Amino acid sequence: MLNLPLNLQHVLGPLLLIILCAVLFLFEPQASHYLAFDRMQIEQFQWWRLLTANLLHTNANHLLLNLIAVALLWALHGQYFRLGQYTLMFFILCISTTLLIYGFAKQLQWYVGLSGVLHGVFLIGAYFDIKQGMKTGWLLLVGVLIKVGHEQIFGASQDIADLINATVAIDAHLFGTISGLMIIVILYGKIRLTEGLKETKSQ
Protein backbone atom coordinates (compact mmCIF):
# COMPACT_ATOMS: atom_id res chain seq x y z
CA MET A 1 0.00 0.00 0.00
CA LEU A 2 1.31 3.44 -0.93
CA ASN A 3 2.44 5.36 2.14
CA LEU A 4 1.55 8.97 1.30
CA PRO A 5 3.11 11.87 3.28
CA LEU A 6 -0.19 13.10 4.73
CA ASN A 7 1.26 15.13 7.60
CA LEU A 8 -0.06 18.69 7.27
CA GLN A 9 3.45 20.18 7.11
CA HIS A 10 4.24 17.92 4.15
CA VAL A 11 0.95 18.61 2.36
CA LEU A 12 0.75 22.40 2.74
CA GLY A 13 3.54 23.41 0.36
CA PRO A 14 2.34 21.47 -2.71
CA LEU A 15 -1.31 22.23 -1.89
CA LEU A 16 -0.73 25.99 -1.67
CA LEU A 17 1.24 25.86 -4.92
CA ILE A 18 -1.61 24.07 -6.69
CA ILE A 19 -4.16 26.57 -5.37
CA LEU A 20 -2.01 29.57 -6.34
CA CYS A 21 -1.46 28.33 -9.90
CA ALA A 22 -5.17 27.55 -10.30
CA VAL A 23 -6.26 30.97 -9.00
CA LEU A 24 -3.82 32.82 -11.26
CA PHE A 25 -5.12 30.83 -14.23
CA LEU A 26 -8.60 32.20 -13.54
CA PHE A 27 -7.25 35.71 -14.15
CA GLU A 28 -5.80 35.00 -17.59
CA PRO A 29 -4.95 36.73 -19.89
CA GLN A 30 -4.44 39.64 -17.46
CA ALA A 31 -2.19 37.53 -15.22
CA SER A 32 0.24 36.82 -18.06
CA HIS A 33 0.22 40.46 -19.11
CA TYR A 34 1.58 41.51 -15.72
CA LEU A 35 3.37 38.41 -14.44
CA ALA A 36 4.80 36.35 -17.34
CA PHE A 37 8.50 36.19 -18.21
CA ASP A 38 8.71 39.01 -20.74
CA ARG A 39 12.29 39.90 -21.59
CA MET A 40 11.50 43.46 -22.58
CA GLN A 41 9.56 44.11 -19.38
CA ILE A 42 12.22 42.51 -17.20
CA GLU A 43 14.75 44.85 -18.78
CA GLN A 44 12.46 47.65 -17.56
CA PHE A 45 13.09 46.41 -13.99
CA GLN A 46 9.95 44.28 -13.60
CA TRP A 47 12.02 41.69 -11.74
CA TRP A 48 9.04 40.01 -10.05
CA ARG A 49 8.38 38.26 -13.38
CA LEU A 50 11.39 36.02 -12.68
CA LEU A 51 9.32 34.46 -9.90
CA THR A 52 5.74 34.77 -11.08
CA ALA A 53 6.31 33.43 -14.62
CA ASN A 54 6.72 29.96 -13.13
CA LEU A 55 3.19 30.07 -11.72
CA LEU A 56 1.40 30.78 -15.02
CA HIS A 57 0.25 28.46 -17.82
CA THR A 58 -0.68 28.77 -21.48
CA ASN A 59 -3.94 26.79 -21.27
CA ALA A 60 -5.90 24.35 -19.11
CA ASN A 61 -3.98 21.34 -20.42
CA HIS A 62 -0.67 22.98 -19.49
CA LEU A 63 -2.00 23.78 -16.02
CA LEU A 64 -3.33 20.26 -15.43
CA LEU A 65 -0.11 18.59 -16.59
CA ASN A 66 1.97 20.63 -14.17
CA LEU A 67 -0.43 20.34 -11.23
CA ILE A 68 -0.58 16.57 -11.68
CA ALA A 69 3.23 16.59 -11.66
CA VAL A 70 3.22 18.62 -8.40
CA ALA A 71 0.90 16.03 -6.83
CA LEU A 72 2.99 13.10 -8.07
CA LEU A 73 6.21 14.64 -6.75
CA TRP A 74 4.51 15.19 -3.39
CA ALA A 75 3.45 11.53 -3.33
CA LEU A 76 6.98 10.46 -4.26
CA HIS A 77 9.12 12.78 -2.13
CA GLY A 78 6.80 14.95 -0.03
CA GLN A 79 8.02 13.40 3.22
CA TYR A 80 11.34 15.24 2.82
CA PHE A 81 9.91 18.76 2.82
CA ARG A 82 8.09 20.71 5.50
CA LEU A 83 6.32 23.93 4.51
CA GLY A 84 9.28 26.25 5.13
CA GLN A 85 11.74 23.98 3.34
CA TYR A 86 9.41 23.49 0.38
CA THR A 87 8.78 27.22 0.08
CA LEU A 88 12.48 28.11 0.20
CA MET A 89 13.38 25.38 -2.31
CA PHE A 90 10.63 26.50 -4.66
CA PHE A 91 11.63 30.17 -4.44
CA ILE A 92 15.30 29.44 -5.14
CA LEU A 93 14.47 27.14 -8.05
CA CYS A 94 12.10 29.72 -9.58
CA ILE A 95 14.59 32.59 -9.42
CA SER A 96 17.56 30.48 -10.50
CA THR A 97 15.74 28.88 -13.44
CA THR A 98 14.43 32.14 -14.89
CA LEU A 99 17.70 34.00 -14.25
CA LEU A 100 19.49 31.32 -16.28
CA ILE A 101 16.84 31.67 -19.01
CA TYR A 102 17.36 35.43 -18.96
CA GLY A 103 21.12 35.12 -19.15
CA PHE A 104 21.65 32.15 -21.46
CA ALA A 105 18.50 31.68 -23.58
CA LYS A 106 18.36 35.02 -25.35
CA GLN A 107 16.02 33.60 -27.99
CA LEU A 108 13.36 33.04 -25.33
CA GLN A 109 11.48 36.33 -25.16
CA TRP A 110 8.36 35.12 -23.37
CA TYR A 111 7.89 32.19 -21.02
CA VAL A 112 5.43 30.74 -18.52
CA GLY A 113 5.25 27.36 -16.82
CA LEU A 114 6.20 25.28 -13.83
CA SER A 115 7.91 22.35 -15.55
CA GLY A 116 11.44 23.77 -15.37
CA VAL A 117 11.19 24.20 -11.61
CA LEU A 118 9.60 20.76 -11.24
CA HIS A 119 12.66 19.18 -12.86
CA GLY A 120 14.70 20.69 -10.05
CA VAL A 121 12.25 19.52 -7.38
CA PHE A 122 12.41 15.99 -8.83
CA LEU A 123 16.21 15.95 -8.70
CA ILE A 124 16.34 17.18 -5.11
CA GLY A 125 13.82 14.52 -4.08
CA ALA A 126 15.96 11.88 -5.79
CA TYR A 127 18.99 13.16 -3.87
CA PHE A 128 17.18 12.67 -0.57
CA ASP A 129 16.21 9.16 -1.68
CA ILE A 130 19.92 8.47 -2.25
CA LYS A 131 20.72 9.84 1.21
CA GLN A 132 18.22 7.35 2.62
CA GLY A 133 20.11 4.54 0.90
CA MET A 134 17.46 3.97 -1.78
CA LYS A 135 18.99 2.77 -5.05
CA THR A 136 15.91 4.00 -6.91
CA GLY A 137 17.10 7.52 -6.14
CA TRP A 138 20.02 7.01 -8.52
CA LEU A 139 17.66 5.69 -11.19
CA LEU A 140 15.42 8.74 -10.85
CA LEU A 141 18.35 11.15 -10.94
CA VAL A 142 19.96 9.54 -13.97
CA GLY A 143 16.56 9.28 -15.67
CA VAL A 144 15.96 13.02 -15.42
CA LEU A 145 19.44 13.79 -16.74
CA ILE A 146 18.90 11.46 -19.71
CA LYS A 147 15.49 13.03 -20.44
CA VAL A 148 16.88 16.56 -20.39
CA GLY A 149 19.87 15.55 -22.52
CA HIS A 150 17.56 13.87 -25.05
CA GLU A 151 15.46 17.05 -25.28
CA GLN A 152 18.53 19.18 -25.88
CA ILE A 153 19.68 16.91 -28.73
CA PHE A 154 16.39 15.87 -30.35
CA GLY A 155 13.93 18.50 -29.12
CA ALA A 156 10.68 18.14 -27.20
CA SER A 157 7.65 16.02 -28.06
CA GLN A 158 5.42 17.67 -30.66
CA ASP A 159 2.41 16.04 -29.00
CA ILE A 160 3.11 17.93 -25.78
CA ALA A 161 3.59 21.18 -27.70
CA ASP A 162 0.21 20.69 -29.39
CA LEU A 163 -1.42 19.85 -26.06
CA ILE A 164 -0.24 23.01 -24.29
CA ASN A 165 -0.60 25.16 -27.41
CA ALA A 166 2.95 26.46 -27.09
CA THR A 167 6.54 25.55 -27.84
CA VAL A 168 7.93 23.38 -25.05
CA ALA A 169 10.66 25.43 -23.37
CA ILE A 170 13.30 22.72 -23.17
CA ASP A 171 15.85 25.29 -21.99
CA ALA A 172 13.67 25.82 -18.89
CA HIS A 173 13.90 22.07 -18.23
CA LEU A 174 17.68 22.26 -18.62
CA PHE A 175 18.05 25.28 -16.34
CA GLY A 176 15.64 23.86 -13.76
CA THR A 177 17.78 20.72 -13.72
CA ILE A 178 20.98 22.76 -13.35
CA SER A 179 19.36 24.74 -10.52
CA GLY A 180 18.40 21.50 -8.76
CA LEU A 181 21.94 20.18 -9.14
CA MET A 182 23.35 23.39 -7.66
CA ILE A 183 21.10 23.03 -4.62
CA ILE A 184 22.19 19.40 -4.25
CA VAL A 185 25.86 20.45 -4.33
CA ILE A 186 25.18 23.07 -1.64
CA LEU A 187 23.31 20.56 0.55
CA TYR A 188 26.05 17.97 0.15
CA GLY A 189 28.73 20.55 0.90
CA LYS A 190 26.87 21.65 4.03
CA ILE A 191 26.70 18.04 5.25
CA ARG A 192 30.41 17.48 4.60
CA LEU A 193 31.29 20.74 6.38
CA THR A 194 29.17 19.80 9.40
CA GLU A 195 30.77 16.36 9.58
CA GLY A 196 34.24 17.91 9.31
CA LEU A 197 33.52 20.30 12.17
CA LYS A 198 32.23 17.45 14.34
CA GLU A 199 35.39 15.42 13.66
CA THR A 200 37.57 18.43 14.52
CA LYS A 201 35.77 18.96 17.84
CA SER A 202 36.04 15.29 18.77
CA GLN A 203 39.82 15.23 18.30
Side-chain angles (χ1 to χ4, degrees):
M1 183 176 178
L2 187 62
N3 187 22
L4 295 175
L6 295 174
N7 183 287
L8 184 61
Q9 280 292 320
H10 297 147
V11 172
L12 270 179
L15 180 60
L16 290 174
L17 176 58
I18 287 171
I19 292 171
L20 182 56
C21 289
V23 168
L24 287 173
F25 185 72
L26 296 177
F27 289 92
E28 293 292 1
Q30 291 84 0
S32 289
H33 180 73
Y34 292 106
L35 302 177
F37 179 100
D38 185 320
R39 189 172 294 275
M40 290 182 62
Q41 298 301 326
I42 291 171
E43 289 171 353
Q44 297 300 316
F45 307 108
Q46 295 187 16
W47 297 108
W48 64 84
R49 293 174 180 269
L50 296 172
L51 173 64
T52 56
N54 300 280
L55 302 170
L56 304 178
H57 297 84
T58 54
N59 62 18
N61 291 329
H62 191 197
L63 175 70
L64 287 173
L65 282 173
N66 278 340
L67 296 192
I68 289 170
V70 171
L72 288 174
L73 289 178
W74 161 76
L76 193 61
H77 296 136
Q79 69 274 15
Y80 299 131
F81 308 109
R82 298 175 71 84
L83 176 60
Q85 297 164 330
Y86 190 88
T87 303
L88 179 61
M89 173 184 66
F90 180 77
F91 178 82
I92 293 172
L93 285 171
C94 282
I95 298 300
S96 177
T97 299
T98 44
L99 274 176
L100 288 169
I101 290 173
Y102 182 79
F104 298 101
K106 301 293 186 181
Q107 79 284 358
L108 201 56
Q109 298 294 314
W110 191 91
Y111 166 76
V112 297
L114 195 55
S115 58
V117 170
L118 293 180
H119 278 69
V121 173
F122 191 97
L123 274 181
I124 294 168
Y127 165 73
F128 281 113
D129 277 350
I130 293 168
K131 277 191 63 184
Q132 295 297 316
M134 299 170 63
K135 293 181 180 179
T136 51
W138 286 108
L139 294 176
L140 295 175
L141 190 148
V142 172
V144 173
L145 296 179
I146 291 173
K147 172 189 177 292
V148 172
H150 183 275
E151 287 179 341
Q152 289 296 309
I153 297 170
F154 299 105
S157 166
Q158 186 57 45
D159 290 338
I160 297 296
D162 292 340
L163 188 64
I164 68 174
N165 193 32
T167 301
V168 178
I170 59 174
D171 285 341
H173 298 173
L174 172 64
F175 295 137
T177 299
I178 291 172
S179 299
L181 289 172
M182 289 191 298
I183 291 176
I184 289 171
V185 169
I186 292 170
L187 291 172
Y188 180 76
K190 182 180 178 183
I191 291 171
R192 297 294 294 176
L193 179 61
T194 302
E195 290 175 349
L197 290 174
K198 287 181 178 177
E199 289 178 2
T200 302
K201 288 181 180 179
S202 64
Q203 290 175 356

